[in-house]
Amino acid sequence: MSRRFNIRVYGICLQDGRVLVNEELIRGQKIIKFPGGGLDWGEGTLECLKREWLEELGLEIEVTRHFYTTDFFQASAYDDSQIISIYYLVSIPDPVVIKNLLPNESTYWMNISDITASTFTLPIDKIAGKMILDSTKTQ
């Protein structure tokens, strides 16, 4: 068994009581997650996040601050790696039309008040989603 890490970097864009989410088809399963993706060899996490948003959404983002990094073991559902996800809060130019540039993917705004325990598909995204919900309740 190979032991390797799979580092994922995601952007959380909050605007007017909404959060930007990505819907993808992965191995025939609909996944709702945050926009972002895998860290390439030689990249830093911020560089990765900016590249992913440019590739997927054609958007240049401003990373405003770190939000959350996985703090528990999470095995990948797709291979034999350990997933480490890093989330940043990001801002985008306003106003902007969101259009996902990749086939079989869509990106849309979701009201934060509509987030539930089952909104996000991936286990680490569920935690980040709950953190968003909790942080908006205290504001």
Side-chain angles (χ1 to χ4, degrees):
M1 175 168 131
S2 93
R3 297 179 189 258
R4 62 185 184 85
F5 295 100
N6 183 345
I7 301 172
R8 317 295 295 171
V9 188
Y10 298 105
I12 297 172
C13 186
L14 304 171
Q15 202 172 76
D16 302 322
R18 303 173 303 165
V19 62
L20 200 60
V21 298
N22 225 40
E23 191 173 297
E24 301 178 15
L25 204 56
I26 300 176
R27 296 186 182 174
Q29 181 185 7
K30 182 175 88 169
I31 305 288
I32 296 177
K33 64 181 214 45
F34 296 101
L39 183 73
D40 288 340
W41 179 259
E43 268 185 329
T45 57
L46 299 181
E47 184 181 14
C48 169
L49 185 58
K50 290 176 181 180
R51 174 186 53 76
E52 286 284 345
W53 276 62
L54 196 58
E55 287 175 2
E56 292 178 9
L57 304 174
L59 293 174
E60 292 194 17
I61 59 170
E62 179 183 336
V63 178
T64 55
R65 74 173 177 87
H66 174 263
F67 185 74
Y68 174 68
T69 298
T70 310
D71 54 4
F72 59 94
F73 173 77
Q74 179 64 54
S76 172
Y78 304 108
D79 61 24
D80 63 351
S81 65
Q82 177 177 343
I83 302 293
I84 298 172
S85 294
I86 304 167
Y87 299 83
Y88 291 97
L89 294 179
V90 303
S91 63
I92 57 176
D94 192 36
V96 67
V97 174
I98 305 296
K99 180 177 181 343
N100 196 301
L101 304 174
L102 301 179
N104 300 318
E105 289 190 19
S106 63
T107 304
Y108 54 90
W109 292 103
M110 174 179 279
N111 288 329
I112 292 171
S113 60
D114 292 339
I115 293 174
T116 68
S118 61
T119 297
F120 297 100
T121 310
L122 305 172
I124 306 168
D125 283 2
K126 288 180 183 293
I127 291 171
K130 183 177 182 327
M131 290 174 67
I132 291 167
L133 199 54
D134 291 348
S135 71
T136 58
K137 287 179 183 175
T138 61
Q139 293 179 356

